[in-house]
C-alpha cells in the first residue's frame, strides 16, 4: 500500500492514478472542511470537486510531497473564501433568530446546528464535522487528523460541550414538540 | 479513572468507539449500578442523534469518493508527462502526424527566416545561440545547396545592412509594418526574393527535412535594389502661439483623427494673467507625418519647429536575430526534454534553461513590439501658448462705504441687513455680532453689492435705526490700453461697492427702580397675570418663580422694562391684589451718554395671605417656636453626648481601675 507521500510524489509527476488514490483518501476530510465553512450545503460537493481539480492542475507545484494534506486543505479553504465572496452568502447568525419552539422546521435545525458548528474554532470543528457529517468513528478521525488519542479526546469533548452550550435551548425546545 | 466523576470525559469517546476495551468494560460495569451516569449517557446520545438528524441533509454521500473521482475524470484529469504538453491528446496516429505537420507550418510562418534551417543547423544552433555570424556562413554553405541563393552570398557580413529580400507583410502577422533588411544569419534563408507563407520550419523532432520551399516569384537580382525600407522612428516638436488654447486643441484633435492618429497626452497650465499654455502630444501613422505637420502649421503662429528621424534598423535587426536564435534554442531544449534521456539532474537543468530562454524570448518580443509601435506611429509634441490679448482701456470705479447705525434691537437689525443684501443679490463678505457687558450688542457686516444698487441699499440701511455715520468714497482707476494712456471718454466700469456696516445698540441705563408686592388669595393666578403684564409691556423677565409652602404660596419676578412703559406696568400690577408695597425710585442717568435706552427694574411679589398670617405673630407661632427651640436643644444635647460619650467612658474606666487598685491594696493590707 502506497503511503501518501509516495502517492503524492507520483502524482506530482503526472500520474493520475496516484492522484485519484489521494482523492479517495482525502475526499471526506475536504468535505468536512468545506461543509464547516459554507452556509448552503448544496454547494459542498461542487466545492470538493473543484478543490481536487485545482489540486490536480497545480500538483506539480507541490513542494513537499509529505504535506499533501495541509496543501489540499488550504486549496479548499481558499476556494471557499472565494466562493463566499462571490456568492455573498453570509453565515446565518443564530442570535438574530428568535427561538421558535413551535416550528418543526428541519431546515431551521440544520441552519442553527451548522451555524453553531461554524462558530467553533477549526480545531474543534473539524473532528465534529468528520463525526457528524462523515460518520467517522474515533479511530478513523484520529487517523485523518493525525492526532493522538488523548488530544482527540480532549478536542471532541470540548467541542461537544461548546455545541451543547449553544444549542441546548433550541434542542430542548425541539424536544418538547 | 474514576468513572463516575469523569463521566463528562468518557461519554463522547464512549459513543464514538474511542475507549480502550479495558476502559469500556469499566464504564459498562459502573453503569449497571449508577443511574445518574446512565442518564448522562443517554442524554448525550440524544444530543448526538439530534445533531445527526439536523445535519442529515449535509452528510457526505456514501459514495463520495467515487463521485469525486468520476467528476475529475470527466473534467479531463488524466496522466500526463510533465514536460510535454503536445502529447496530451491520445489521438490515432495519422491525426498526430497531420497535427504535427500543421504545427510545423504554423511555426514556419512565425519564424519564416529560419525556414531553411536544416537539422544540422538546428543542432548547432543550440550550441551557438549567440553567433549569428557563424550561422550566416553556414547558411551560405547550405544555400548553395538549395535552389535559392545568389542573394545569400550578399548576406556574408552578418551585420551589414546589405539589401535583401522583403518578406511578405502579411505573413508577419502581429508585426505590423515589418520590413526587414539585411539580417545576419537569420535571414539567410530568405534568399531569392519573396518568401511565402507556406514556409515551414524543419522538423526538429523527427529529423526529417521538411523543406517545402516555394519558389519566389521575382528573380533574386531585382530584390536587392527595390527596398530601401529601414526602421525609422520619426518625431517632431512644434511651438505655437495661438489665440485660444481650447480652439487650437480641438483643431489638433481633428487633424490627428483625420489621419488615423490620436492624442496621446495633453497637459495645460493657467498662468497668473489668465492665459493658458499647454502641451499636446499626438501620434500619427509614420507615412502621414509630413501631411499632418503641414496641416498643423495653420494652428497659429509657429514659433519653433524641429523634426527628427532616428534610424533604429540596426538595433531592430539585432533584436530580431537574437530572437530567432533563441527560438531555435528553445526548440532544441524541448527536444532534449522530450527524449528524456539522461539523468534527472541534467533534465532539470535543461528545464531551467528552457524557462530562462522563454523569458528572454518574451523580453525581446516586448522590445520589438515597442519599436514597432514607435516606428509605425510617429510622435508629435505640440506646445501651445495663448497670446496676450490687449485689454481695452477703461476706468474702473470702486465704491467704499462706511455706515454706522444705532438700532434698538441689534439682532433684528443684523438679520434685516442680511435680508436686504440677499435681496439685491449682494454678497456678505464678513459678519459677526458681539455682546457687551452691559447687555448691549454690536453687529459688524461687510458686504459687497452691485454698484448700481448701492444707493438704494444705503438708504435701506439708514432706515434700520439712527445713522451716526455714512461715508462713501468713490475711486476711479484707469487700466488697460497701451501704456496706461487713454481718453477721458473711455468707458467707466463700475465694480462692486463694498460696505462696512456697524450696528450698535445704545447702552442701557436703568433710571427707574420699583418694588411692588401684592397680597392675593390666588397667588399662582396672580403670578401668571403679572408675567403676562410684563410681556405685554415689552419687558423682560430676569428672574422669578413660584414657591409653594404648606401654608400658602408666593411668587416673585425681577423685571426689566422700558422706562416709558414703567408706570403703566406698575399700575397693572397693583391691580392684581391687595397692595402691600409699591415704591418707585427714579435715578439720574449718568452724564455723557446721549443716546441710551432707559429702563426700569421692578421687583414684583405676589403672595397668598396664608403665608402672611404665618408671620411671627400669634400663640400658635410662639408655641411652635418654643417647640422648635426645644427640639433644637435636644439635638444639640445628642450631639454633645456623642462627643462627651467617649470621654465619660474613659473617666469611668479610670475610676474603676483606681477602685480596683485600692481594693487590692486594702485586701493586701488585711492579709
Amino acid at each position: 500500500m502506497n503511503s501518501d507521500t509516495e502517492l503524492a510524489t507520483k502524482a506530482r509527476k503526472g500520474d493520475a492514478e496516484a492522484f485519484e488514490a489521494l482523492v479517495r483518501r482525502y475526499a471526506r476530510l475536504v468535505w468536512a472542511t468545506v461543509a464547516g465553512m459554507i452556509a448552503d450545503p448544496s454547494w459542498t460537493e461542487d466545492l470538493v470537486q473543484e478543490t481536487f481539480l485545482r489540486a490536480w492542475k497545480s500538483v506539480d507545484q507541490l513542494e513537499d510531497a509529505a504535506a499533501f494534506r495541509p496543501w489540499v486543505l488550504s486549496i479548499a479553504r481558499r476556494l471557499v473564501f472565494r466562493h463566499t465572496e462571490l456568492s455573498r452568502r453570509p453565515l446565518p447568525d443564530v442570535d438574530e433568530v428568535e427561538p421558535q419552539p413551535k416550528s418543526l422546521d428541519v431546515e431551521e435545525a440544520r441552519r442553527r446546528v451548522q451555524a453553531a458548528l461554524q462558530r467553533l474554532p477549526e480545531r474543534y470543528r473539524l473532528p465534529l464535522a468528520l463525526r457528524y457529517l462523515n460518520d467517522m468513528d474515533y479511530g478513523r478521525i484520529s487517523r485523518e487528523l493525525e492526532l493522538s488519542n488523548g488530544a482527540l479526546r480532549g478536542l471532541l469533548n470540548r467541542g461537544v460541550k461548546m455545541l451543547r452550550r449553544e444549542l441546548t435551548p433550541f434542542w430542548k425546545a425541539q424536544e418538547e414538540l | 479513572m474514576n468513572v463516575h466523576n469523569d463521566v463528562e470525559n468518557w461519554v463522547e469517546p464512549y459513543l464514538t468507539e474511542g475507549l480502550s476495551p479495558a476502559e469500556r468494560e469499566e464504564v459498562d460495569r459502573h453503569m449497571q449500578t449508577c443511574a445518574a451516569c446512565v442518564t448522562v449517557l443517554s442524554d448525550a446520545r440524544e444530543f448526538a442523534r439530534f445533531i445527526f438528524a439536523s445535519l442529515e441533509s449535509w452528510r457526505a454521500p456514501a459514495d463520495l469518493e467515487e463521485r469525486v473521482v468520476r467528476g475529475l475524470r470527466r473534467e479531463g484529469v488524466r496522466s500526463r508527462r510533465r514536460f510535454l504538453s503536445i502529447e496530451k491528446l491520445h489521438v490515432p496516429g495519422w491525426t498526430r502526424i497531420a497535427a504535427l505537420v500543421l504545427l510545423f507550418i504554423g511555426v514556419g510562418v512565425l519564424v519564416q527566416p529560419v525556414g531553411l534551417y536544416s537539422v544540422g543547423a538546428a543542432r548547432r544552433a543550440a550550441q551557438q545561440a549567440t553567433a549569428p555570424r557563424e550561422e550566416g556562413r553556414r547558411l551560405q554553405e547550405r544555400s548553395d545547396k538549395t535552389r535559392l541563393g545568389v542573394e545569400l552570398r550578399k548576406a556574408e557580413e552578418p551585420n551589414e545592412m546589405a539589401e535583401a529580400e522583403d518578406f511578405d507583410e502579411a505573413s508577419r502577422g502581429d508585426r505590423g509594418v515589418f520590413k526587414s533588411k539585411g539580417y545576419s544569419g537569420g535571414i539567410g534563408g530568405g534568399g531569392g526574393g519573396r518568401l511565402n507563407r507556406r514556409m515551414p520550419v524543419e522538423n526538429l523532432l523527427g529529423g526529417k527535412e521538411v523543406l517545402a520551399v516555394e519558389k519566389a516569384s521575382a528573380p533574386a537580382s531585382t530584390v536587392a535594389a527595390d527596398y530601401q525600407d529601414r526602421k525609422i522612428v520619426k518625431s517632431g516638436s512644434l511651438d505655437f502661439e495661438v489665440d485660444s488654447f481650447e480652439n487650437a486643441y480641438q483643431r489638433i484633435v481633428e487633424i490627428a483623427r483625420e489621419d488615423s492618429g490620436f492624442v496621446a497626452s495633453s497637459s495645460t497650465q493657467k498662468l497668473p494673467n489668465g492665459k493658458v499654455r499647454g502641451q499636446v502630444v499626438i501620434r500619427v501613422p509614420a507615412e502621414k507625418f509630413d501631411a499632418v505637420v503641414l496641416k498643423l502649421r495653420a494652428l497659429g503662429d509657429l514659433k519653433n519647429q524641429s523634426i527628427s528621424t532616428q534610424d533604429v534598423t540596426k538595433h531592430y535587426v539585432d533584436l530580431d536575430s537574437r530572437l530567432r536564435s533563441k527560438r531555435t534554442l528553445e526548440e532544441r531544449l524541448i527536444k532534449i526534454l522530450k527524449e528524456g534521456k539522461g539523468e534527472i539532474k541534467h533534465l532539470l537543468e535543461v528545464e531551467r534553461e528552457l524557462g530562462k530562454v522563454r523569458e528572454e524570448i518574451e523580453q525581446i518580443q516586448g522590445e520589438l513590439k515597442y519599436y514597432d509601435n514607435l516606428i509605425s506611429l510617429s510622435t508629435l509634441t505640440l506646445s501651445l501658448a495663448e497670446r496676450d490679448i490687449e485689454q481695452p482701456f477703461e476706468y474702473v470705479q470702486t465704491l467704499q462705504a462706511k455706515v454706522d447705525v444705532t438700532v434698538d434691537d441689534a439682532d433684528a437689525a443684523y438679520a434685516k441687513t442680511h435680508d436686504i443684501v440677499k435681496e439685491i443679490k449682494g454678497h456678505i463678505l464678513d459678519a459677526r455680532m458681539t455682546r457687551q457687558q452691559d447687555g448691549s450688542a454690536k453687529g459688524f457686516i461687510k458686504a459687497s453689492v452691485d454698484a448700481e444698487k448701492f444707493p438704494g441699499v444705503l438708504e435701506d440701511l439708514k432706515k434700520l435705526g439712527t445713522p451716526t455715520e455714512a461715508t462713501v468714497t468713490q475711486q476711479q482707476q484707469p487700466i488697460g490700453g497701451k501704456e496706461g494712456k487713454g481718453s477721458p471718454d473711455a468707458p467707466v466700469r463700475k465694480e462692486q461697492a463694498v460696505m462696512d456696516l456697524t450696528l450698535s445698540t445704545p447702552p442701557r441705563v436703568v433710571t427707574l427702580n420699583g418694588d411692588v408686592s401684592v397680597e392675593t388669595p390666588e397667588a399662582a393666578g396672580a403670578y401668571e397675570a403679572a408675567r403676562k403684564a410684563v410681556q405685554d409691556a415689552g419687558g423682560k423677565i430676569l428672574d422669578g418663580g413660584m414657591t409653594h409652602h404648606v401654608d400658602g404660596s408666593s411668587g416673585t419676578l425681577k423685571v426689566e422694562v422700558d422706562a416709558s412703559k414703567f408706570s403703566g406696568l406698575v399700575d397693572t400690577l397693583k391691580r392684581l391684589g391687595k397692595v402691600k408695597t409699591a415704591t418707585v425710585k427714579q435715578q439720574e442717568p449718568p452724564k455723557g451718554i446721549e443716546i441710551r435706552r432707559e429702563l426700569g427694574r421692578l421687583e414684583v411679589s405676589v403672595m397668598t395671605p396664608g403665608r402672611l398670617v404665618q408671620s411671627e405673630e400669634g400663640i400658635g407661632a410662639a408655641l411652635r417656636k418654643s417647640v422648635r427651640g426645644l427640639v433644637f436643644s435636644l439635638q444639640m444635647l445628642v450631639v454633645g453626648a456623642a462627643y462627651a460619650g467617649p470621654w465619660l467612658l474613659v473617666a469611668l474606666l479610670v475610676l474603676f481601675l483606681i477602685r480596683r487598685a485600692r481594693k487590692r491594696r486594702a485586701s493586701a493590707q488585711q492579709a
Side-chain angles (χ1 to χ4, degrees):
Chain A
M1 177 75 149
N2 287 324
S3 79
D4 284 1
T5 316
E6 283 176 41
L7 287 173
T9 317
K10 283 200 197 147
R12 221 179 8 186
K13 296 215 189 104
D15 186 346
E17 261 182 57
F19 186 83
E20 273 174 24
L22 287 168
V23 167
R24 278 176 223 275
R25 216 169 260 219
Y26 289 108
R28 291 200 178 256
L29 187 53
V30 172
W31 178 284
T33 308
V34 168
M37 290 170 77
I38 60 175
D40 188 344
S42 53
W43 284 93
T44 320
E45 201 173 331
D46 285 357
L47 287 169
V48 169
Q49 270 226 9
E50 185 66 28
T51 302
F52 283 111
L53 199 57
R54 276 172 196 256
W56 171 249
K57 290 207 175 120
S58 56
V59 72
D60 50 354
Q61 292 162 24
L62 172 63
E63 299 205 352
D64 181 5
F68 183 83
R69 195 185 102 225
W71 178 72
V72 78
L73 286 184
S74 73
I75 293 179
R77 265 183 238 116
R78 242 180 293 135
L79 256 179
V80 172
F81 286 137
R82 260 197 61 219
H83 164 85
T84 325
E85 261 175 38
L86 290 174
S87 59
R88 274 167 218 280
R89 298 175 118 96
L91 295 179
D93 196 347
V94 172
D95 293 338
E96 286 168 358
V97 181
E98 291 301 320
Q100 292 154 29
K102 297 282 182 269
S103 99
L104 265 177
D105 202 0
V106 174
E107 191 49 30
E108 170 78 7
R110 177 195 68 75
R111 269 209 310 274
R112 278 177 174 268
V113 174
Q114 172 203 319
L117 252 184
Q118 287 177 351
R119 275 125 83 96
L120 299 178
E122 184 160 330
R123 64 182 184 284
Y124 297 116
R125 195 194 323 142
L126 216 37
L128 290 175
L130 286 175
R131 177 178 172 204
Y132 295 122
L133 297 180
N134 286 288
D135 263 325
M136 290 191 191
D137 67 17
Y138 199 86
R140 177 94 193 268
I141 298 178
S142 78
R143 272 200 308 278
E144 285 289 327
L145 301 179
E146 289 169 19
L147 290 169
S148 76
N149 193 307
L152 179 57
R153 216 182 258 203
L155 289 178
L156 264 178
N157 286 342
R158 250 168 283 146
V160 174
K161 216 178 264 175
M162 287 197 243
L163 259 192
R164 276 189 82 135
R165 209 179 11 206
E166 274 225 39
L167 290 170
T168 300
F170 180 71
W171 175 40
K172 288 297 176 204
Q174 296 285 80
E175 295 249 289
E176 277 154 30
L177 295 171
Chain B
M1 79 181 156
N2 184 326
V3 179
H4 187 82
N5 291 346
D6 270 337
V7 63
E8 295 278 293
N9 289 338
W10 56 252
V11 157
E12 288 303 322
Y14 186 93
L15 292 173
T16 50
E17 317 294 331
L19 294 177
S20 69
E23 285 174 322
R24 206 202 159 89
E25 224 193 281
E26 233 190 296
V27 166
D28 283 330
R29 239 183 303 137
H30 174 79
M31 284 207 289
Q32 281 169 7
T33 53
C34 178
C37 287
V38 169
T39 319
V40 171
L41 181 66
S42 68
D43 196 66
R45 224 187 237 122
E46 283 300 314
F47 183 76
R49 225 173 270 151
F50 163 69
I51 302 286
F52 273 116
S54 302
L55 299 178
E56 189 59 50
S57 59
W58 218 4
R59 302 249 293 247
D63 58 340
L64 173 69
E65 291 87 345
E66 271 312 309
R67 288 158 75 125
V68 177
V69 167
R70 244 182 288 145
L72 288 177
R73 287 207 191 125
R74 258 202 312 270
E75 296 288 332
V77 171
R78 285 187 230 311
S79 281
R80 57 172 189 236
R81 286 288 300 281
R82 209 168 140 206
F83 305 120
L84 241 226
S85 41
I86 301 176
E87 309 219 310
K88 229 186 215 164
L89 310 153
H90 297 277
V91 289
W94 64 269
T95 42
R96 205 193 297 189
I97 295 179
L100 282 176
V101 169
L102 282 169
L103 184 68
F104 301 151
I105 292 173
V107 175
V109 164
L110 287 178
V111 292
Q112 227 179 38
V114 186
L116 289 194
Y117 275 8
S118 67
V119 178
R123 269 198 213 110
R124 276 183 292 256
Q127 292 152 12
Q128 293 159 33
T130 52
R133 197 175 283 242
E134 282 267 70
E135 288 166 11
R137 233 173 277 134
R138 218 158 279 118
L139 278 167
Q140 206 177 312
E141 294 165 14
R142 290 252 154 242
S143 69
D144 288 348
K145 297 177 188 151
T146 67
R147 283 167 284 161
L148 321 163
V150 170
E151 280 323 294
L152 273 189
R153 289 206 198 98
K154 291 209 178 141
E156 201 166 43
E157 259 333 290
N159 289 327
E160 216 150 283
M161 301 312 138
E163 342 295 45
E165 44 318 309
D166 146 51
F167 293 94
D168 205 278
E169 251 186 67
S171 73
R172 275 292 144 182
D174 65 339
R175 287 276 189 99
V177 183
F178 173 73
K179 293 203 163 47
S180 67
K181 250 203 89 158
Y183 284 22
S184 49
I187 290 193
R194 297 187 167 236
L195 276 177
N196 220 303
R197 224 172 221 149
R198 298 266 168 272
M199 178 65 75
V201 77
E202 51 91 34
N203 181 354
L204 293 168
L205 304 169
K208 284 182 272 191
E209 212 154 330
V210 182
L211 292 174
V213 176
E214 291 181 24
K215 214 11 184 338
S217 43
S221 50
T222 60
V223 174
D226 281 356
Y227 286 93
Q228 307 293 325
D229 293 280
R230 308 174 64 96
K231 302 270 160 220
I232 309 277
V233 176
K234 258 191 186 165
S235 62
S237 93
L238 302 159
D239 290 343
F240 288 98
E241 215 173 64
V242 295
D243 286 324
S244 150
F245 183 87
E246 249 331 289
N247 293 352
Y249 183 80
Q250 289 305 325
R251 185 75 195 110
I252 293 173
V253 171
E254 271 169 30
I255 294 176
R257 287 226 185 101
E258 274 165 18
D259 287 298
S260 334
F262 60 93
V263 173
S265 71
S266 76
S267 66
T268 56
Q269 199 195 0
K270 195 157 185 161
L271 298 171
N273 66 356
K275 299 282 154 251
V276 179
R277 77 174 333 138
Q279 236 190 29
V280 185
V281 177
I282 62 171
R283 317 231 21 229
V284 295
E287 60 269 21
K288 300 275 173 68
F289 187 84
D290 298 319
V292 169
V293 170
L294 270 171
K295 283 196 203 165
L296 286 171
R297 288 239 177 88
L299 275 178
D301 287 342
L302 183 61
K303 294 284 178 194
N304 208 328
Q305 169 179 310
S306 78
I307 310 259
S308 74
T309 58
Q310 203 188 1
D311 189 330
V312 296
T313 321
K314 177 164 160 34
H315 190 60
Y316 193 97
V317 156
D318 280 345
L319 280 177
D320 201 67
S321 52
R322 267 171 54 205
L323 177 67
R324 253 161 315 100
S325 47
K326 294 243 185 274
R327 279 207 193 268
T328 325
L329 177 57
E330 179 193 30
E331 278 153 8
R332 176 73 193 139
L333 291 174
I334 292 178
K335 178 175 178 205
I336 295 175
L337 290 176
K338 178 174 194 245
E339 282 167 9
K341 297 202 204 97
E343 306 168 27
I344 302 273
K345 198 169 47 141
H346 175 59
L347 287 177
L348 282 176
E349 267 175 45
V350 171
E351 204 202 310
R352 229 175 289 136
E353 266 310 303
L354 184 63
K356 248 190 0 175
V357 168
R358 279 195 175 137
E359 219 181 281
E360 285 163 8
I361 287 179
E362 266 179 42
Q363 219 177 30
I364 300 179
Q365 279 175 333
E367 252 191 273
L368 281 170
K369 239 198 186 133
Y370 168 75
Y371 274 112
D372 283 330
N373 178 289
L374 281 184
I375 291 162
S376 62
L377 284 174
S378 309
T379 314
L380 276 166
T381 309
L382 308 164
S383 304
L384 309 166
E386 270 181 5
R387 269 190 271 268
D388 272 325
I389 299 181
E390 249 172 44
Q391 296 259 9
F393 181 79
E394 60 181 2
Y395 284 106
V396 178
Q397 178 178 292
T398 48
L399 277 173
Q400 275 189 311
K402 181 150 174 37
V403 184
D404 286 348
V405 183
T406 307
V407 297
D408 282 328
D409 186 339
D411 295 286
Y414 186 80
K416 189 96 192 356
T417 312
H418 268 89
D419 290 337
I420 294 175
V421 172
K422 268 213 182 70
E423 220 181 281
I424 51 133
K425 304 227 177 20
H427 299 281
I428 309 268
L429 302 170
D430 191 16
R432 60 199 158 90
M433 286 279 290
T434 57
R435 264 164 242 285
Q436 246 77 326
Q437 271 290 351
D438 57 5
S440 63
K442 255 195 162 89
F444 300 97
I445 300 176
K446 198 188 188 90
S448 106
V449 301
D450 225 26
E452 307 291 334
K453 302 235 171 59
F454 179 71
V457 173
L458 194 57
E459 288 314 304
D460 286 335
L461 291 175
K462 283 202 209 154
K463 288 202 207 112
L464 286 173
T466 322
T468 51
E469 188 191 324
T471 337
V472 180
T473 4
Q474 183 175 295
Q475 213 185 11
Q476 277 191 354
Q477 215 184 358
I479 62 154
K482 293 202 167 63
E483 291 139 39
K485 286 209 187 91
S487 62
D489 304 323
V492 176
R493 182 152 59 95
K494 294 193 180 157
E495 295 219 327
Q496 301 252 323
V498 177
M499 254 175 16
D500 266 299
L501 174 67
T502 310
L503 300 163
S504 13
T505 49
R508 295 134 55 112
V509 175
V510 176
T511 49
L512 290 164
N513 265 299
D515 195 342
V516 177
S517 61
V518 291
E519 211 179 271
T520 148
E522 224 285 287
Y527 182 77
E528 286 309 310
R531 283 181 67 127
K532 187 163 182 310
V534 170
Q535 274 160 5
D536 285 344
K540 213 160 45 170
I541 297 177
L542 302 170
D543 199 2
M546 285 283 297
T547 42
H548 300 277
H549 305 272
V550 154
D551 30 353
S553 31
S554 63
T556 45
L557 284 170
K558 253 203 194 110
V559 172
E560 205 177 73
V561 71
D562 222 52
S564 51
K565 302 265 176 37
F566 191 80
S567 43
L569 182 60
V570 170
D571 287 333
T572 317
L573 291 172
K574 286 206 288 204
R575 285 199 287 271
L576 285 177
K578 180 156 158 229
V579 178
K580 298 295 290 179
T581 30
T583 45
V584 175
K585 270 191 290 206
Q586 188 146 13
Q587 246 170 271
E588 271 299 319
K591 297 257 174 24
I593 305 176
E594 290 311 318
I595 304 177
R596 57 181 177 270
R597 196 168 158 210
E598 291 188 15
L599 299 168
R601 281 238 175 100
L602 259 182
E603 295 231 6
V604 185
S605 41
V606 296
M607 31 195 139
T608 52
R611 186 164 174 249
L612 287 175
V613 170
Q614 270 140 36
S615 62
E616 283 66 36
E617 319 241 320
I619 297 179
L623 267 174
R624 234 160 284 144
K625 253 208 256 179
S626 49
V627 168
R628 247 182 274 143
L630 281 168
V631 170
F632 181 69
S633 54
L634 204 61
Q635 285 173 330
M636 287 295 108
L637 202 63
V638 172
V639 172
Y643 280 115
W647 291 113
L648 268 171
L649 283 169
V650 168
L652 279 170
L653 191 64
V654 166
L655 276 169
F656 176 69
L657 285 169
I658 294 175
R659 210 178 292 165
R660 215 167 44 148
R662 271 210 210 117
K663 267 201 201 132
R664 253 198 236 126
R665 226 183 293 133
S667 56
Q669 278 173 0
Q670 279 173 12

